[in-house]
Amino acid sequence: MDEDDGFEDAGTGTPLSAIAEAFEELSSNHDLMLKPFCHACSLLSVLFGSLGIAFKFAELEYVSKVRDLTEASEIFGSLNSILDYDVRNDTSLYSDDSLKEAASMAYAKVCAPYHTWAVRTAVSAGMCALPTRDQLLIKLNETDDSAEREMRRYIDASLPIIEYIDKLYISRNVSLDW
């Protein structure tokens, strides 16, 4: 992403280490505050750029959603307060070497249900242009070992955040299958 997109550079270290660090910091908080959450999510956008031009549609949609949350963070301090608002007003503030195989499976399971047909089609076409595992590691300035270490940090740090978000929705009887 370029500087005009408003997302901060990962700073020193690698993009994956910055992502892992940001999510580790988030996972230590009991109430998910929007500004640090948006910052952490913005760091993930570097992964889209590393996957190539074919993922530009997915990147644009992701960036748009993060921007929506960032704007909402000026009004609502936490994800908890946004959900309270939505429940009270019955509204929603927001509009939705086998790297290819792994990416396709992950996308189909995690993101595809929330994307429009056009985005799903673009992502599907983009799967053919994915870099190899080695090319991706070079783009991210990582080795096999460092990438595994940083991704484990990210996964470990993001699990409590996912559980927290799920509990917020479930506690308000808000369906998670939107």
Side-chain angles (χ1 to χ4, degrees):
M1 299 198 60
D2 59 48
E3 292 177 3
D4 294 339
D5 289 328
F7 291 116
E8 295 179 32
D9 186 0
T12 60
T14 65
L16 290 180
S17 65
I19 292 166
E21 183 177 318
F23 277 86
E24 283 173 343
E25 288 177 24
L26 279 176
S27 68
S28 66
N29 295 321
H30 296 289
D31 195 13
L32 189 57
M33 301 307 292
L34 278 179
K35 285 186 181 184
F37 178 68
C38 292
H39 170 73
C41 289
S42 72
L43 296 174
L44 288 170
S45 65
V46 71
L47 297 178
F48 286 104
S50 297
L51 296 175
I53 191 70
F55 280 81
K56 192 65 176 175
F57 286 112
E59 177 184 13
L60 292 173
E61 183 166 325
Y62 178 79
V63 168
S64 171
K65 292 190 182 318
V66 172
R67 280 197 182 121
D68 288 347
L69 276 174
T70 300
E71 289 175 15
S73 73
E74 298 301 321
I75 300 168
F76 302 96
S78 67
L79 185 59
N80 193 10
S81 59
I82 286 178
L83 285 174
D84 284 343
Y85 176 88
D86 281 351
V87 169
R88 272 194 314 273
N89 296 293
D90 194 25
T91 61
S92 176
L93 295 173
Y94 309 103
S95 46
D96 344 74
D97 264 269
S98 190
L99 186 57
K100 292 175 189 170
E101 183 180 325
S104 295
M105 285 177 38
Y107 176 78
K109 189 172 184 177
V110 177
C111 298
Y114 309 109
H115 287 165
T116 63
W117 174 86
V119 172
R120 288 192 311 268
T121 301
V123 170
S124 179
M127 292 295 176
C128 297
L130 278 174
T132 65
R133 177 181 173 83
D134 290 340
Q135 290 169 333
L136 180 61
L137 289 173
I138 289 168
K139 285 182 180 186
L140 294 173
N141 194 28
E142 297 283 356
T143 65
D144 281 331
D145 291 338
S146 69
E148 182 177 349
R149 182 180 61 250
E150 300 303 339
M151 288 305 295
R152 287 195 186 282
R153 284 179 57 205
Y154 162 69
I155 291 166
D156 290 345
S158 64
L159 287 175
I161 295 166
I162 293 167
E163 290 172 4
Y164 176 82
I165 292 169
D166 285 348
K167 287 177 185 175
L168 284 177
Y169 276 80
I170 290 167
S171 71
R172 290 164 178 82
N173 294 319
V174 176
S175 174
L176 296 175
D177 59 349
W178 34 275

